[in-house]
Amino acid sequence: MELETEVLSLVNKALEKAGLSSARVVRLQKPPSPELGHFALMVNPLAKKKDPEKIGEQLKEALQSFKLVEKAVLAVSETKKGKKQVYLNLFLNETALRNARAEFHNQVLTHVFSPDFGKWEDFKGKTAVVEHTSANPISPLHVGNLRNSLHGDAFANILESLGYDVSRRYYVNDVGLQIAFTVVGYEILFYHLNVRPDEKIDVWLGQVYASMNCLYTIQDLKEWAKEEFENVEFSSDVYSLSEKELSEILSQIDKSIKDLNALIEETPRNDKQSKKHQDKTPEELRLKEFSDKKSEFKKYFAVQHSLQARFPFIFSSLHSYLIENNIDLKTRTREYLSTYEANPDSPIATLFREMVNWCLAGFQNTLGKFKVVFDAFDFESEITWSGMPKEIITRLAELRGIDTSKGLKGLRYTYPNDKVVALLKEIGRDRKTVPHRDNIPDLQLTRADGTALYPTKDIAYSIYKFQKTSADKVYNVVGAEQVLPQFQLLLPLWEMGYGNYAANLHHYVYEIVSLKNRIMSGRLAQYVTADDFYKETLVRARIAKKENDQERGVDLAKEDLDLFNSIVEAITLSVIRFSLLESDPKRRIVLDIDQALDLRQSSGPFVQYALARTHGIFRKAKEQFGISEGSILAEKIDVSVLTADREAKLFEMLGSIHDVLLRCYVEMNVSYVPKFAFELAQEFMKYYESTPILKGTNREEMIARLALVRAIQRVLTFLLELMGIPAVTQM
RNA sequence: GGAUCCGUGGCCUAGUUUGGAAGGGCACCGGCCUCCGGAGCCGGCGGCAGGGGUUCAAAUCCCCUCGGAUCCGCCA
């Protein structure tokens, strides 16, 4: 602001007068509350070794002699340790202040009322990819996935608003063991037993997945035990774990653990030197294996009973089918998986696709409720079939001088320090932000059989995302637990000559959502689904709306059901989107469903209510003065009559939206939007309570205030749109 | 063992990038509808995990300790 530089020059003059021409850059700051003044000057840094209070006194005298300064007040506060902090608070001359404010207010209004408000051109002509959600298509979306979707979607909206052409993409992980055994189960139920889903498809598949996972894991565990322990008696059913088997196996494991512990105790302590070697001894590794297995056995013993109890039909049908038809589940799963990876035209591939697409349709149905849509679904299988992973492996092996004449089996990609340093330098990233610093773990590129592993396909997919869309930036909205794998993508890209991709591939980090008093686990088919969350919130919103109508003596549901429903939906979406977006994405949230459903505690409805009030004002304005939202611009608006500090604060906020969005962009953090919307709504509420809009002293003032209200309304509506929330005009 | 993130009143949280007067919300207590809609407003209670360092000045930067989460698989 120009006013600020003017005041600053006065401060410098005053400093000279006091013989304190400072080498340091003098900065003005805003006092914490308007009653303290318009600008504040920190005296301590100017005083150097002298008494800051005396210096402050001198400066005060000097500054007060200027016309622009109405008065200056010395304020002293103390730090915890009793150090004095001296501020010189400056109150400016009324008319000068008014002129400066009027100019700024006019700028803000012009900006907010311009037809292309909300469309900035910072990144005009650039393209960005936002990949988000990307949940495995074998169980319903839960509130954790929803946090991902909503952040990804809102971030994409912000990028668009800043001028990017955005492609919203979903990476479908349709290749993998878990998918494969779920397909095996799907085929059995749907085609061999003619079972039809009696629930939403993704929910039903979630039960199939949990059941198959349990059967598969128990088979695997028992095979392990059979090899380890010869004297345990196993039943012929490899897919279930009896109490007798469990206790025998556990006692065997305990015995082994005891033996190993004794062995480790006996071996002479490694000296400190070798402690630096983090490699565990073979005994220690075995010990870990045993204790891991022990907890797995216990866990899956419980899991099988839990699933049997909760989904008896699906679980038993699958279980008995496998036994009666003598199917080796592990073998069949591997067969299905390798067929799918190798042959896109096989019937098995068709089966995979059928199931996956069906599940994705369920996801789209869910996400549609939250107004989240995608431009593309990219299948991991397509990436596999494209041959890109193989090319990447070969190329990386070549670059590292690895002999591949005997095939590509069990290839590891390492992260040599010098290469990492060079990479970081080129992409301008701080070493501190790198997980594991100078000891980044290797990346396993291929299996023992030479087929590509997930990380390799991820490298391929990263390249694909850039090339398919000619993107300048790619954002992956991925959980915080994946910071390492996300970073590991960069070096291979850079090494293969895609330094530009490495520099522009970003990880939008978000933390998981956990639930108070509830456990979420896909493998147990235990979760609060996004659908349930929506449904429950909708019910609450409807009740709240009904109660509210009753208090006001209306019955909107009777008068206009469509309007009633649209309001309830808007409130629902605001509750959900605010509750998952307003906290820092890097912060873990523990969702207390009951509390989240208490609408009066959510900032979503609060913002909507503020918006409803702005519309209420205009309804009245039209009634009484014939002025509407549309016609206000035709009036002669003179904002110079708005001189209150509250009004100045509101204009200042309205003028800062672009900065807020840029901050979201730079920090990859959407949460500033709902925070800002809430603050603006809050500030407006205070204004509304303190200042009569339509009952101002004169028409000029009323028009100016209406214009301000209209601007607030526009901005709030825009902010809600960014978050994918429909804005209400009444509540 | 190594690495990353986090710790702000009874509970949830903003502020940490760029050091400068600790903001909100819930809960609790007390006020405010003859008024542009009380899903609101006003007031009260109460806080930077602990220690050290740098600085005129530290919630913020550096180091240590404690506490929590996560990552270091031929799983995806």
Side-chain angles (χ1 to χ4, degrees), chain A residues 278-290:
Chain A
Q278 299 152 21
D279 295 334
K280 290 183 173 161
T281 64
E283 288 80 18
E284 282 170 335
L285 284 174
R286 281 286 277 172
L287 192 65
K288 191 175 183 310
E289 185 186 350
F290 278 114

Side-chain angles (χ1 to χ4, degrees), chain A residues 459-720:
Chain A
I459 298 169
Y461 183 46
S462 300
I463 297 170
Y464 176 88
K465 278 181 281 192
F466 276 104
Q467 294 183 340
K468 178 84 183 172
T469 62
S470 325
D472 299 287
K473 295 251 175 206
V474 169
Y475 292 91
N476 298 338
V477 183
V478 174
E481 71 281 358
Q482 298 224 43
V483 282
L484 175 64
Q486 285 289 315
F487 177 79
Q488 281 174 318
L489 292 172
L490 303 184
L491 188 62
L493 286 175
W494 176 76
E495 211 173 349
M496 285 187 291
Y498 298 120
N500 189 31
Y501 297 169
N504 290 299
L505 178 64
H506 300 287
H507 181 191
Y508 185 111
V509 182
Y510 80 99
E511 265 288 3
I512 61 162
V513 178
S514 51
L515 291 170
K516 202 172 183 178
N517 306 327
R518 287 195 234 191
I519 300 163
M520 275 207 286
S521 159
R523 280 184 292 184
L524 293 176
Q526 260 177 24
Y527 17 62
V528 173
T529 66
D531 287 318
D532 290 342
F533 191 29
Y534 181 82
K535 214 187 295 164
E536 287 186 45
T537 312
L538 194 71
V539 169
R540 300 274 186 134
R542 188 171 289 130
I543 293 170
K545 170 71 181 143
K546 271 242 155 89
E547 279 175 2
N548 199 42
D549 281 357
Q550 219 162 34
E551 276 169 35
R552 295 175 51 209
V554 291
D555 190 350
L556 188 60
K558 218 172 212 175
E559 291 164 28
D560 188 343
L561 188 61
D562 286 346
L563 181 59
F564 178 86
N565 283 334
S566 75
I567 292 170
V568 168
E569 192 204 0
I571 294 169
T572 302
L573 286 173
S574 69
V575 169
I576 294 178
R577 294 199 83 138
F578 267 83
S579 73
L580 292 176
L581 287 178
E582 73 185 337
S583 54
D584 188 322
K586 288 197 242 350
R587 195 181 266 274
R588 252 178 123 78
I589 53 178
V590 181
L591 202 59
D592 184 335
I593 293 285
D594 291 329
Q595 197 179 315
L597 290 176
D598 186 349
L599 311 193
R600 310 209 175 223
Q601 286 185 24
S602 168
S603 30
F606 181 88
V607 174
Q608 295 278 30
Y609 185 59
L611 206 43
R613 276 184 158 173
T614 65
H615 287 282
I617 291 169
F618 272 99
R619 267 191 293 277
K620 207 83 176 185
K622 193 168 186 190
E623 227 172 77
Q624 295 182 357
F625 307 97
I627 303 170
S628 68
E629 278 106 330
S631 72
I632 181 75
L633 284 183
E635 302 285 335
K636 200 171 150 236
I637 301 168
D638 178 11
V639 282
S640 69
V641 299
L642 302 181
T643 55
D645 289 332
R646 263 221 168 110
E647 284 154 348
K649 177 87 189 286
L650 281 165
F651 276 108
E652 202 182 301
M653 289 185 85
L654 293 177
S656 69
I657 309 148
H658 184 237
D659 292 339
V660 172
L661 296 193
L662 278 179
R663 189 173 180 205
C664 292
Y665 168 73
V666 171
E667 293 184 28
M668 291 190 279
N669 179 347
V670 161
S671 71
Y672 302 116
V673 168
K675 278 173 198 156
F676 180 75
F678 179 73
E679 280 165 22
L680 181 58
Q682 201 171 34
E683 201 55 39
F684 168 70
M685 290 286 200
K686 287 178 186 173
Y687 181 58
Y688 178 91
E689 298 280 348
S690 69
T691 315
I693 313 278
L694 299 178
K695 293 181 179 146
T697 48
N698 55 49
R699 185 178 169 92
E700 213 183 8
E701 200 171 60
M702 179 182 82
I703 297 289
R705 286 187 177 148
L706 273 173
L708 173 57
V709 170
R710 169 65 178 146
I712 292 167
Q713 184 186 83
R714 249 205 112 169
V715 170
L716 283 179
T717 305
F718 167 69
L719 292 172
L720 289 178

Side-chain angles (χ1 to χ4, degrees), chain A residues 223-481:
Chain A
E223 278 178 11
W224 175 86
K226 266 179 209 167
E227 278 199 12
E228 290 291 336
F229 312 121
E230 284 164 0
N231 43 358
V232 175
E233 237 182 85
F234 288 97
S235 70
S236 60
D237 179 359
V238 296
Y239 300 114
S240 72
L241 194 56
S242 70
E243 214 160 322
K244 181 164 163 284
E245 285 171 322
L246 180 72
S247 72
E248 279 183 37
I249 291 166
L250 287 184
S251 72
Q252 289 290 330
I253 290 179
D254 283 338
K255 206 175 130 208
S256 307
I257 287 178
K258 210 171 157 190
D259 292 348
L260 275 168
N261 268 326
L263 200 65
I264 291 170
E265 284 297 311
E266 271 172 38
T267 43
R269 273 278 141 238
N270 297 336
D271 49 80
K272 282 165 201 160
Q273 236 185 349
S274 65
K275 214 181 169 187
K276 279 182 192 161
H277 271 277
Q278 299 152 21
D279 295 334
K280 290 183 173 161
T281 64
E283 288 80 18
E284 282 170 335
L285 284 174
R286 281 286 277 172
L287 192 65
K288 191 175 183 310
E289 185 186 350
F290 278 114
S291 68
D292 284 352
K293 291 290 180 198
K294 186 178 168 183
S295 50
E296 287 276 286
F297 270 105
K298 282 198 209 160
K299 183 175 164 190
Y300 275 90
F301 180 73
V303 168
Q304 72 179 354
H305 288 295
S306 155
L307 294 178
Q308 175 74 59
R310 288 168 53 223
F311 321 118
F313 178 70
I314 288 179
F315 190 80
S316 326
S317 301
L318 290 169
H319 185 191
S320 22
Y321 189 90
L322 290 173
I323 291 180
E324 281 158 22
N325 294 276
N326 217 1
I327 295 168
D328 182 334
L329 178 55
K330 277 182 77 177
T331 309
R332 174 166 286 194
T333 299
R334 274 193 298 264
E335 273 170 21
Y336 273 40
L337 184 58
S338 55
T339 309
Y340 187 42
E341 283 188 305
N343 189 354
D345 302 317
S346 58
I348 284 179
T350 312
L351 196 63
F352 268 76
R353 277 307 169 92
E354 181 183 284
M355 184 192 82
V356 168
N357 281 325
W358 202 359
C359 191
L360 289 176
F363 287 178
Q364 280 169 286
N365 174 287
T366 301
L367 291 173
K369 293 175 191 163
F370 302 96
K371 320 279 178 207
V372 174
V373 290
F374 291 93
D375 296 304
F377 287 83
D378 299 316
F379 286 74
E380 183 183 343
S381 51
E382 300 279 354
I383 298 285
T384 310
W385 298 333
S386 75
M388 271 177 89
K390 194 153 272 178
E391 279 169 37
I392 286 166
I393 295 162
T394 317
R395 180 107 179 82
L396 287 174
E398 213 178 273
L399 284 164
R400 290 295 176 87
I402 297 167
D403 179 21
T404 54
S405 57
K406 286 174 194 162
L408 305 169
K409 295 176 182 176
L411 273 190
R412 289 172 92 86
Y413 178 81
T414 59
Y415 289 80
N417 219 0
D418 53 333
K419 286 201 164 72
V420 174
V421 170
L423 165 75
L424 292 176
K425 197 178 166 198
E426 192 173 314
I427 65 176
R429 240 181 98 164
D430 191 345
R431 180 115 218 192
K432 276 193 214 158
T433 66
V434 176
H436 297 251
R437 301 263 174 110
D438 43 3
N439 197 17
I440 298 162
D442 298 348
L443 200 62
Q444 192 77 35
L445 295 173
T446 60
R447 293 198 181 87
D449 62 6
T451 55
L453 273 159
Y454 182 85
T456 317
K457 293 184 210 167
D458 235 15
I459 298 169
Y461 183 46
S462 300
I463 297 170
Y464 176 88
K465 278 181 281 192
F466 276 104
Q467 294 183 340
K468 178 84 183 172
T469 62
S470 325
D472 299 287
K473 295 251 175 206
V474 169
Y475 292 91
N476 298 338
V477 183
V478 174
E481 71 281 358

Side-chain angles (χ1 to χ4, degrees), chain A residues 26-27 29 40-46 84-88:
Chain A
V26 181
R27 275 197 319 180
Q29 36 188 300
L41 180 68
M42 189 78 215
V43 181
N44 296 58
L46 308 168
K84 273 183 187 163
Q85 299 267 287
V86 181
Y87 298 87
L88 190 56

